[in-house]
């Protein structure tokens, strides 16, 4: 058991299911939650900023970081490298913040090995056609990229059962409420409360 009061959450979904929209809404509503900013070798989309959505780096720098053992987990997704640096997450967990890793199923497996207390949440779309429609409406990727992401969607979704919780993102507000309630519930787990309220519990039991 790691001596952290923050919880580590893994959020996975096929591209376009809505995981970024959900975590962004949760971050606005809950000041105890932070997102881990990954490193990637893919090009920024319109509106994305270095250090906000991702740290955008080239292949050589990514390979240097692997050689330096700088990653907590990393994987190749859609022909690009993506990874979570160790530095990014542990400071926040130690401050008692909940940290979200928005990563694919390969990264999720690595995190579970290294950090078994991590809580996995898988987001499913209501249908394959709405997934494709969302990718098209988002208008951030070419038709070719969208088709490659759709082709990988079923493989990503086939790992849903490796996660602790599943949310179907049909109505956005309902999905957000479900996600928020999972965060709340994990904060009230007995080992977490024992760490956080150890003194109070000792006082209450001291008569
Ligand atoms: N419940 C919903 N109903 C309709 N549209 C939605 C819903 N949730 C998200 N969207 C829209 O679907 C599109 C894809 O969402 P988003 O970018 O959050 O997906 P993602 O899973 O993070 O994808 P990626 O892995 O490619 O970054 C966005 O345009 C978003 O506004
Ligand atoms: N294993 C990891 N997967 C990651 C990480 N950051 C993002 N991702 C996953 O990549 C795809 C595509 O993301 P996109 O931003 O290009 O649409 C998606 O499934 C993400 O979850 C990471 O650090 N490690």
């Amino acid at each position: 058991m790691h001596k952290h009061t923050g919880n580590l959450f893994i959020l996975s979904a096929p591209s376009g299911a809505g995981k970024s929209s959900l975590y962004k809404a949760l971050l606005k509503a809950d000041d105890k939650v932070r997102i881990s900013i990954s490193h990637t070798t893919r090009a920024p989309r319109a509106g994305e900023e270095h250090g906000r959505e991702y740290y955008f780096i080239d292949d050589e720098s990514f390979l240097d970081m692997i050689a330096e053992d700088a990653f907590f987990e990393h994987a190749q997704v859609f022909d690009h490298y993506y990874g979570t640096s160790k530095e990014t997450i542990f400071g926040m967990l130690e401050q008692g913040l909940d940290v979200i890793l928005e990563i694919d199923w390969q990264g999720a497996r690595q995190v579970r090995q290294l950090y078994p207390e991590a809580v996995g949440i898988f987001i499913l779309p209501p249908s394959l056609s709405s997934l494709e429609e969302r990718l098209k409406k988002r208008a951030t990727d070419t038709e070719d990229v969208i088709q490659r992401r759709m082709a990988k969607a079923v493989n990503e979704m086939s790992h849903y059962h490796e996660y602790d919780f599943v949310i179907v993102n049909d109505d956005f507000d309902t999905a957000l409420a479900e996600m928020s309630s999972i965060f709340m519930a994990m904060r009230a787990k007995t080992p977490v409360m024992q760490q956080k309220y150890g003194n109070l519990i000792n006082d209450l039991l001291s008569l």
Side-chain angles (χ1 to χ4, degrees):
M1 174 74 187
H2 291 256
K3 281 227 175 282
H4 299 131
T5 46
N7 288 308
L8 186 61
F9 291 88
I10 304 168
L11 192 61
S12 300
S15 178
K19 56 193 175 305
S20 313
S21 309
L22 284 168
Y23 86 64
K24 283 180 181 170
L26 188 70
L27 291 184
K28 271 194 192 157
D30 188 332
D31 64 2
K32 291 192 183 65
V33 183
R34 297 286 183 279
I35 184 75
S36 155
I37 300 169
S38 297
H39 288 70
T40 184
T41 58
R42 88 150 159 76
R45 294 182 185 130
E48 285 184 335
E49 268 178 36
H50 180 79
R52 193 179 64 193
E53 280 78 14
Y54 283 104
Y55 298 108
F56 295 99
I57 60 174
D58 59 20
D59 281 30
E60 198 186 333
S61 309
F62 201 99
L63 294 173
D64 284 347
M65 286 182 73
I66 295 177
E68 290 157 9
D69 198 24
F71 287 116
F72 185 47
E73 65 73 36
H74 63 88
Q76 220 173 335
V77 191
F78 309 127
D79 303 330
H80 298 291
Y81 291 115
Y82 293 83
T84 307
S85 79
K86 290 179 185 167
E87 199 185 330
T88 311
I89 53 175
F90 287 108
M92 294 189 286
L93 290 172
E94 278 158 16
Q95 287 171 51
L97 296 164
D98 287 345
V99 178
I100 302 175
L101 306 181
E102 188 210 349
I103 61 178
D104 82 320
W105 68 272
Q106 305 171 84
R109 278 196 178 171
Q110 296 169 43
V111 171
R112 269 183 227 110
Q113 289 287 323
L114 294 165
Y115 203 96
E117 312 92 297
V119 180
I121 305 176
F122 200 94
I123 312 291
L124 290 171
S127 65
L128 280 175
S129 56
S130 58
L131 186 68
E132 187 168 4
E133 193 185 319
R134 285 178 192 179
L135 284 171
K136 286 185 172 161
K137 266 200 187 156
R138 187 171 70 181
T140 52
D141 300 296
T142 61
E143 184 57 28
D144 180 48
V145 168
I146 290 175
Q147 289 318 321
R148 282 168 61 204
R149 286 177 178 237
M150 284 303 294
K152 295 260 173 89
V154 174
N155 179 45
E156 180 77 27
M157 287 190 289
S158 71
H159 295 277
Y160 81 93
H161 56 88
E162 296 169 21
Y163 292 71
D164 302 294
F165 298 95
V166 176
I167 295 173
V168 177
N169 180 21
D170 188 356
D171 174 67
F172 186 82
D173 290 341
T174 305
L176 180 60
E178 287 170 2
M179 189 157 120
S180 178
S181 68
I182 294 168
F183 276 66
M184 298 296 176
M186 295 315 297
R187 279 179 205 157
K189 287 203 75 166
T190 304
V192 177
M193 296 300 274
Q194 280 168 332
Q195 267 193 31
K196 195 169 169 188
Y197 291 105
N199 291 341
L200 168 69
I201 291 169
N202 284 340
D203 282 354
L204 292 171
L205 300 181
S206 65
L207 251 198

